[in-house]
Amino acid sequence: MPAAPSGFADHAVALTHRGAAALANGQEPLAAACFATAAVLAPHRASIWHNLGEARRALGHVAGAEHAFRRALRLRPAYPKAWAGLAALLRKSQRPKAAARAIVRALVLDPALAEGWSVAGAMLSERRAVERLTVVLRRVVVLAPDSPPAWLALAAGLNETTGGEATEGEVAEPSLPLACVRRAIALSPGQPAGYVNQAGFLIRQGKLDAALAVHARLRRLAPLEGHAEAGDSLVASLRGDFAAAVSLARRSLVMQPASASTLVTLSLAEHDSGRTDLARRGNRRAIALDPDSDAACFNLSMVLLAQGDFAEGWHLYESRWRMERTAYPAHAPRWQGGDPAGRSILLVAEQGQGDTLHFVRYAPMLAALGARVHLMVQPSLVRLLSRLPGIASVRSLAEPPPACDACIPLLSLPLVFGTTLATIPATVPYLHAADRDREGWRRRLAAERRLKVGLVWAGSAHDGQFIAHMTDRRRSLALAALAPLTDIPGVAFYSLQKGPPADETPPPGLDLTDWMGAVGDFADTAALVAELDLVISVDTSVCHLAGALARPVWMLSRHDACWRWLRDRADSPWYPTMRLFRQDRPGDWPPVIARVRTALAEWAERR
């Protein structure tokens, strides 16, 4: 190809410099226009085509960017930066194999290319290759120690792989991810990205006031960008002030109307406030703006499932496996449906014990279709679930898995079974306590003629997981809040509470029998529950246990109820013997307890 005339070449150089400055300042349309004109004037220069590809990639113009990168590589096949840019584009275009080939080519050509290792790190993160991720990200900061994005990527990678804990020989001060973020801020104190990340890590660590202080600094640094208001909204949601969370997120959205993350924050607050239709529309808009937003897909699944729209909800719920620090069980190949007859399938527990009790109902169904079903569950559930019919083996999550043809997490089974609101498998009981375990409790309760009511007033605190801890605070109440139940005649109360809340002193007049010291696992709890007339519980594992045993259970639900309890219902299609008592306002337990008292007094009087 002939070279451009010298005047054209000089003008192309000037346009290239102008385009580079525009790209560095976030003016992608101007940059793309400059590089496109330069490419016309000097079409033989691979560097101009590479720059045009980068500008178009920043604009989201996939086809145009790919054309520019490939034109650069035809002109200069040994061009590592162009290979890295193409790899980044292919990764975002959901072409992982082609992206992997391109990034390998880039790094073979230039093993010291920081941009190439950054793309490789992003690809490893998507593949959940956590054992190699931080090695790659550390190499990036060694090669580009003055790059704030490199330090922020390392912070995210460390948080994803270790939860922020330092490995041997490292100092967590105050945590390694947060230290990396502070390094990024020191390198670029005038850019909001570092402070946004810093506040996010502080929120995960439960340092909400410190996060608010960072948001205040963000507000001074970038008052019209809405980052501070979006962060304040998330803090308000965690504290249960959903009205403030909605107001703050809306204010943020006015300043950044095309921000998918802000729409997700607003939709989360609206969902928690009970405005599910608005939350549904908001999450869909976020996905339209950013189809790769796992948070938007996951939050939309929560909304759809709460509305009973299971057909789409279960599919979107699988996005949980793309969230940070979650990895799909790798004990065997994934089972995604099809005829299970003759196959050995491992069902793996995920999330909490209540989730396992809820969805283990699918295990006998799978066995009835001819599969050889194995279970891996929490240790406290092994003995109880070993009584499920048709199950080949039940192991603890801490034990080695059995050899199987395929595996699937328990909460993915409704998707495989095509469960709809009308086809929920609600035949109860599907769990049974052993007769010999029940006999001991039966003897203890033999002389009791009053209504026998089990109480659970608090969930698990999740002290090591702050966001889960804050949810637990909203679903739990103090034992003293049950004082209105004390004067109901003809009722005897029995504690089913475990953990530190079990040590709370009952309110005056509440004669609470506590035999939980003799309870070692859920098989023991199931035997006691089977001998009671009623269980009154907050949203924790015992209410699932009682429902699975087909015992009458009254569940006390926080205002921002879990999706499984649907919306505006006093019953549960999952558990026919369950009755729901919901908060009308966030954190307002007294009216709930008052309704429980009335219902319990009526039952005791009828008895």
Short mmCIF file of all heavy atoms in Angstrom, two decimals, residues 187-216:
data_model
loop_
_atom_site.label_atom_id
_atom_site.label_comp_id
_atom_site.label_asym_id
_atom_site.label_seq_id
_atom_site.Cartn_x
_atom_site.Cartn_y
_atom_site.Cartn_z
N LEU A 187 -2.70 7.31 43.78
CA LEU A 187 -2.19 7.57 42.44
C LEU A 187 -3.06 8.53 41.66
O LEU A 187 -2.57 9.25 40.78
CB LEU A 187 -2.08 6.24 41.67
CG LEU A 187 -0.98 5.28 42.13
CD1 LEU A 187 -1.18 3.91 41.51
CD2 LEU A 187 0.40 5.84 41.76
N SER A 188 -4.36 8.53 41.95
CA SER A 188 -5.29 9.38 41.20
C SER A 188 -6.35 9.94 42.15
O SER A 188 -7.51 9.55 42.10
CB SER A 188 -5.94 8.56 40.08
OG SER A 188 -6.75 9.37 39.27
N PRO A 189 -5.96 10.88 43.02
CA PRO A 189 -6.89 11.38 44.05
C PRO A 189 -8.06 12.18 43.50
O PRO A 189 -9.03 12.39 44.22
CB PRO A 189 -5.99 12.26 44.93
CG PRO A 189 -4.85 12.64 44.05
CD PRO A 189 -4.62 11.49 43.13
N GLY A 190 -7.98 12.58 42.26
CA GLY A 190 -9.07 13.37 41.70
C GLY A 190 -10.11 12.57 40.94
O GLY A 190 -11.05 13.15 40.40
N GLN A 191 -9.95 11.24 40.89
CA GLN A 191 -10.89 10.40 40.14
C GLN A 191 -11.86 9.70 41.10
O GLN A 191 -11.44 9.13 42.11
CB GLN A 191 -10.12 9.36 39.33
CG GLN A 191 -9.27 9.95 38.22
CD GLN A 191 -10.09 10.72 37.21
OE1 GLN A 191 -11.13 10.24 36.75
NE2 GLN A 191 -9.63 11.91 36.85
N PRO A 192 -13.15 9.71 40.78
CA PRO A 192 -14.15 9.12 41.69
C PRO A 192 -14.04 7.61 41.86
O PRO A 192 -14.44 7.07 42.89
CB PRO A 192 -15.48 9.49 41.04
CG PRO A 192 -15.18 10.60 40.10
CD PRO A 192 -13.77 10.39 39.64
N ALA A 193 -13.51 6.89 40.86
CA ALA A 193 -13.57 5.42 40.86
C ALA A 193 -12.97 4.83 42.13
O ALA A 193 -13.53 3.88 42.72
CB ALA A 193 -12.87 4.86 39.64
N GLY A 194 -11.85 5.36 42.57
CA GLY A 194 -11.20 4.82 43.76
C GLY A 194 -12.07 4.96 44.99
O GLY A 194 -12.18 4.04 45.81
N TYR A 195 -12.71 6.11 45.14
CA TYR A 195 -13.55 6.34 46.32
C TYR A 195 -14.81 5.48 46.28
O TYR A 195 -15.27 5.01 47.33
CB TYR A 195 -13.92 7.83 46.41
CG TYR A 195 -12.72 8.74 46.51
CD1 TYR A 195 -12.26 9.43 45.41
CD2 TYR A 195 -12.02 8.87 47.71
CE1 TYR A 195 -11.14 10.26 45.49
CE2 TYR A 195 -10.91 9.69 47.81
CZ TYR A 195 -10.48 10.38 46.69
OH TYR A 195 -9.37 11.18 46.77
N VAL A 196 -15.37 5.29 45.09
CA VAL A 196 -16.54 4.41 44.96
C VAL A 196 -16.19 3.01 45.42
O VAL A 196 -16.93 2.36 46.17
CB VAL A 196 -17.05 4.41 43.51
CG1 VAL A 196 -18.13 3.35 43.33
CG2 VAL A 196 -17.59 5.78 43.11
N ASN A 197 -15.03 2.52 44.99
CA ASN A 197 -14.58 1.19 45.40
C ASN A 197 -14.27 1.14 46.89
O ASN A 197 -14.61 0.16 47.58
CB ASN A 197 -13.35 0.78 44.60
CG ASN A 197 -13.69 0.27 43.22
OD1 ASN A 197 -13.88 -0.94 43.02
ND2 ASN A 197 -13.78 1.17 42.26
N GLN A 198 -13.64 2.18 47.40
CA GLN A 198 -13.31 2.21 48.84
C GLN A 198 -14.58 2.13 49.68
O GLN A 198 -14.66 1.36 50.64
CB GLN A 198 -12.54 3.49 49.16
CG GLN A 198 -12.13 3.59 50.63
CD GLN A 198 -11.47 4.93 50.95
OE1 GLN A 198 -11.75 5.94 50.32
NE2 GLN A 198 -10.57 4.93 51.92
N ALA A 199 -15.58 2.92 49.31
CA ALA A 199 -16.84 2.89 50.07
C ALA A 199 -17.49 1.52 49.98
O ALA A 199 -18.05 1.01 50.97
CB ALA A 199 -17.78 3.96 49.53
N GLY A 200 -17.42 0.88 48.80
CA GLY A 200 -18.00 -0.45 48.66
C GLY A 200 -17.36 -1.47 49.58
O GLY A 200 -18.05 -2.28 50.21
N PHE A 201 -16.04 -1.44 49.70
CA PHE A 201 -15.35 -2.36 50.59
C PHE A 201 -15.70 -2.06 52.05
O PHE A 201 -15.86 -2.99 52.86
CB PHE A 201 -13.84 -2.30 50.38
CG PHE A 201 -13.38 -3.06 49.16
CD1 PHE A 201 -12.78 -2.40 48.10
CD2 PHE A 201 -13.57 -4.42 49.06
CE1 PHE A 201 -12.37 -3.09 46.98
CE2 PHE A 201 -13.16 -5.13 47.95
CZ PHE A 201 -12.56 -4.46 46.89
N LEU A 202 -15.79 -0.79 52.40
CA LEU A 202 -16.15 -0.43 53.77
C LEU A 202 -17.55 -0.93 54.12
O LEU A 202 -17.79 -1.41 55.24
CB LEU A 202 -16.06 1.09 53.96
CG LEU A 202 -14.63 1.67 53.94
CD1 LEU A 202 -14.69 3.19 53.88
CD2 LEU A 202 -13.85 1.22 55.18
N ILE A 203 -18.47 -0.85 53.16
CA ILE A 203 -19.83 -1.35 53.40
C ILE A 203 -19.80 -2.86 53.63
O ILE A 203 -20.45 -3.37 54.55
CB ILE A 203 -20.74 -0.98 52.22
CG1 ILE A 203 -21.03 0.52 52.23
CG2 ILE A 203 -22.05 -1.77 52.28
CD1 ILE A 203 -21.76 1.01 50.99
N ARG A 204 -19.03 -3.59 52.83
CA ARG A 204 -18.94 -5.04 53.01
C ARG A 204 -18.37 -5.40 54.38
O ARG A 204 -18.70 -6.44 54.94
CB ARG A 204 -18.07 -5.66 51.91
CG ARG A 204 -18.70 -5.66 50.54
CD ARG A 204 -17.81 -6.40 49.55
NE ARG A 204 -18.34 -6.39 48.21
CZ ARG A 204 -18.06 -5.47 47.30
NH1 ARG A 204 -17.23 -4.48 47.61
NH2 ARG A 204 -18.58 -5.54 46.09
N GLN A 205 -17.50 -4.55 54.90
CA GLN A 205 -16.90 -4.80 56.21
C GLN A 205 -17.78 -4.32 57.35
O GLN A 205 -17.44 -4.48 58.52
CB GLN A 205 -15.53 -4.12 56.29
CG GLN A 205 -14.50 -4.72 55.35
CD GLN A 205 -13.18 -3.97 55.38
OE1 GLN A 205 -13.03 -2.98 56.10
NE2 GLN A 205 -12.21 -4.43 54.61
N GLY A 206 -18.94 -3.72 57.03
CA GLY A 206 -19.84 -3.25 58.06
C GLY A 206 -19.51 -1.88 58.61
O GLY A 206 -20.09 -1.44 59.61
N LYS A 207 -18.59 -1.16 57.98
CA LYS A 207 -18.19 0.17 58.45
C LYS A 207 -19.02 1.22 57.72
O LYS A 207 -18.52 1.96 56.86
CB LYS A 207 -16.69 0.36 58.23
CG LYS A 207 -15.84 -0.68 58.95
CD LYS A 207 -14.36 -0.55 58.60
CE LYS A 207 -13.54 -1.63 59.30
NZ LYS A 207 -12.10 -1.58 58.91
N LEU A 208 -20.30 1.27 58.07
CA LEU A 208 -21.23 2.11 57.34
C LEU A 208 -20.94 3.60 57.53
O LEU A 208 -21.04 4.39 56.59
CB LEU A 208 -22.66 1.79 57.75
CG LEU A 208 -23.13 0.35 57.48
CD1 LEU A 208 -24.61 0.21 57.77
CD2 LEU A 208 -22.83 -0.06 56.04
N ASP A 209 -20.60 4.00 58.74
CA ASP A 209 -20.31 5.42 58.98
C ASP A 209 -19.06 5.84 58.21
O ASP A 209 -19.01 6.95 57.66
CB ASP A 209 -20.13 5.69 60.47
CG ASP A 209 -21.44 5.58 61.23
OD1 ASP A 209 -22.51 5.76 60.61
OD2 ASP A 209 -21.40 5.29 62.45
N ALA A 210 -18.06 4.97 58.15
CA ALA A 210 -16.86 5.28 57.38
C ALA A 210 -17.19 5.38 55.89
O ALA A 210 -16.66 6.24 55.17
CB ALA A 210 -15.78 4.22 57.61
N ALA A 211 -18.09 4.51 55.42
CA ALA A 211 -18.51 4.58 54.02
C ALA A 211 -19.24 5.89 53.74
O ALA A 211 -19.03 6.52 52.69
CB ALA A 211 -19.40 3.39 53.69
N LEU A 212 -20.08 6.32 54.66
CA LEU A 212 -20.79 7.60 54.48
C LEU A 212 -19.81 8.76 54.42
O LEU A 212 -20.03 9.73 53.68
CB LEU A 212 -21.80 7.80 55.61
CG LEU A 212 -23.00 6.85 55.59
CD1 LEU A 212 -23.86 7.07 56.84
CD2 LEU A 212 -23.84 7.04 54.33
N ALA A 213 -18.72 8.68 55.19
CA ALA A 213 -17.71 9.73 55.15
C ALA A 213 -17.03 9.77 53.77
O ALA A 213 -16.74 10.85 53.23
CB ALA A 213 -16.67 9.50 56.24
N VAL A 214 -16.77 8.60 53.19
CA VAL A 214 -16.20 8.55 51.84
C VAL A 214 -17.20 9.11 50.83
O VAL A 214 -16.84 9.83 49.90
CB VAL A 214 -15.80 7.11 51.48
CG1 VAL A 214 -15.32 7.03 50.03
CG2 VAL A 214 -14.70 6.61 52.41
N HIS A 215 -18.49 8.79 51.02
CA HIS A 215 -19.51 9.33 50.13
C HIS A 215 -19.54 10.86 50.20
O HIS A 215 -19.74 11.54 49.18
CB HIS A 215 -20.89 8.78 50.50
CG HIS A 215 -21.03 7.31 50.27
ND1 HIS A 215 -22.00 6.54 50.88
CD2 HIS A 215 -20.30 6.46 49.49
CE1 HIS A 215 -21.87 5.29 50.48
NE2 HIS A 215 -20.85 5.21 49.64
N ALA A 216 -19.34 11.41 51.40
CA ALA A 216 -19.31 12.87 51.55
C ALA A 216 -18.15 13.47 50.75
O ALA A 216 -18.29 14.52 50.12
CB ALA A 216 -19.21 13.25 53.02
#
